[in-house]
Amino acid sequence: MHIPDGILPVPVSAGGYAVAAAATWYSLRKINQKENPREDVPKAALLTAAFFVASWIHIPVPPASVHLVLNGLLGAVLGYFAFPAIVIGLFFQAVMFQHGGLTTLGANAVIMGLPALAAHYIFRLRNLGDRWNRTKVAVLGFLSGSLAVGISVAIFIAVLLTNLPSQLDAPTEMTAIYALAIAHLPLMGIEGVITTMLVLFIRRVRPTILDGV
Amino acid sequence: MHTKAKFIIGLATLLALHLMLSMPIHAHGVRIHHTVDVVVEITAAYDSGEPMAGAQVSVYAPDDPSTPWLTGVCDDEGRFSFAPDVSRPGTWTVRVRQAGHGDIVYISVGGSSDTSGRASGYAPLQIVLMAVCVVWGSVGTALYFSRRRR
C-alpha cells in the first residue's frame, strides 16, 4: 500500500502533501487543546515504532503477500496523535528502506493516516453509554482495526486508478490492482483481531491509557 | 500489500550473440565482420523476495524519455530481457510496475561497456541495525516524555 516514487504524477503528489499537511495541522491543533498535550507522547512514540516495524511482517495471502499496517490500531489507541505518528513512521520507512518514497510521502500519509482518524472516531463511539462494556470495546476495536485497512485500500485503489499512465496496458494493471485489493481482505480481519486483543488487554490491565482518547 | 519493489539487476552485461563471418570466395583476402549485441536482463522482485510475475515493463531509449521504446511483461520469475539499440548509446530507462508498485532502473549502453543498476540495497544485518536505531529513538522519546515532572 506504500506508493513508491515515480508512480504518481506531480500534481497528485503535491495534492497528497497538501491534504496531509492540513490533516497534520488539524491533529496537532486538537492535541494542543488537550489539558496536557505531552501526556500521550510516550504512547505515541512507542506506537510509531510499532507502525514502523509492522510493515516487515509479511502475511502470505496467495498469490500475493501483504504486510501489516496497524493504522486502525494507532487510530483507536492514539486518537489524534495517530496522524503525526503515521507521518513520522512513513518518513522513516521511506528514507531508510525506500519503502514508499519522499515524493509520495503526502499521498501515503493520506492513504494510511486518514483511515486512522476514521478508526479513532469509530472507537470513540464507546463513550456512548457504558464506556468499558467488554463486548462494546471488543466490537469497536475490531471495527476500527479492520475498517481502517479497508478504507486505506479503497483510497489506494482510487488514487491508482485515476492515475494510470498511458503507456501501461490498463486492463492488466487494473487486474493486478484488484487482485492486490482482494489480498487485503484477510488482512482486514487480522488487523481487526490484533486491535481487539490490544484494546481488551489495555482495558483489563490499565484502562487509564485510553482515558485521553 | 507489497513492499516497494526492488530491482536486482541480475546481469546486464553483454552476451556476444552473433559473430557474423563473411568470407568472400574470390580472393585470398578474408574479412571478418562482427557485431556484439547487448542483451539486458532484469529481474524484478518485491522486497519480500517474491518475483514480480506479470509486471509490466516499459523501456525508454536515451533520446526519448517519454514514449516507450518497448513494452513487455515479466515472466513468472520476474525476469525480462531485451536488446537495446546500440546505435542509440546513453542511459536507457527501464520501468517495472505492477499494482501501483514498481521501480525504475537506469542502464548505460554504448560508449563504455559498463552497466549500472541500483544495488540490491542493504544487507539484512544493516536493515536490522537501522530499524533498531529508529525503534530506540522512539523508545528514547517515550522515556523522555514519561519522566516524572519535578
Side-chain angles (χ1 to χ4, degrees), chain A residues 1-8 36 38-39 41-43 45-46 48-49 52-53 55-56 58 63-69 92 95-100 112 156 160 163-165 167-170 172-173 176-177 180 184 187, chain B residues 1-6 47-48 50 54 56-58 60 66-68 71 73 95-104 118 121-122 126-128 130-147 149:
Chain A
M1 212 143 36
H2 294 59
I3 301 182
D5 289 328
I7 296 281
L8 294 180
N36 179 7
R38 291 164 61 124
E39 193 185 356
V41 173
K43 197 168 81 180
L46 292 180
T48 306
F52 172 72
V53 175
S55 68
W56 283 337
H58 288 274
S65 84
V66 296
H67 66 72
L68 288 181
V69 187
F92 279 116
V95 295
M96 305 200 91
F97 308 119
Q98 292 84 46
H99 189 182
M112 281 166 252
F156 177 75
L160 287 180
N163 292 292
L164 280 184
Q167 85 273 9
L168 279 189
D169 178 30
T172 313
E173 178 71 0
I177 292 173
L180 186 70
H184 279 84
L187 186 70
Chain B
M1 149 183 19
H2 295 289
T3 50
K4 163 169 189 194
K6 210 167 255 189
D47 53 9
S48 58
E50 186 196 338
Q56 299 193 47
V57 185
S58 1
Y60 298 84
S66 53
T67 359
T71 54
V73 173
R95 272 172 187 272
V96 179
R97 166 163 169 153
Q98 185 176 43
H101 295 81
D103 204 358
I104 303 172
R118 190 166 301 177
Y122 302 107
Q126 282 173 303
I127 293 182
V128 170
M130 288 156 77
V132 167
C133 291
V134 173
V135 169
W136 174 243
S138 302
V139 172
T141 311
L143 291 175
Y144 175 79
F145 279 96
S146 59
R147 77 194 195 285
R149 205 168 284 203

Side-chain angles (χ1 to χ4, degrees), chain A residues 145-208:
Chain A
S146 56
L147 286 182
V149 176
I151 302 171
S152 290
V153 173
I155 303 178
F156 177 75
I157 294 177
V159 168
L160 287 180
L161 286 188
T162 46
N163 292 292
L164 280 184
S166 54
Q167 85 273 9
L168 279 189
D169 178 30
T172 313
E173 178 71 0
M174 278 159 77
T175 315
I177 292 173
Y178 290 136
L180 186 70
I182 291 167
H184 279 84
L185 290 178
L187 186 70
M188 288 177 65
I190 293 168
E191 298 232 351
V193 170
I194 292 175
T195 311
T196 310
M197 281 162 47
L198 184 74
V199 291
L200 285 181
F201 178 75
I202 293 176
R203 171 187 170 275
R204 190 160 54 86
V205 177
R206 222 174 130 192
T208 47

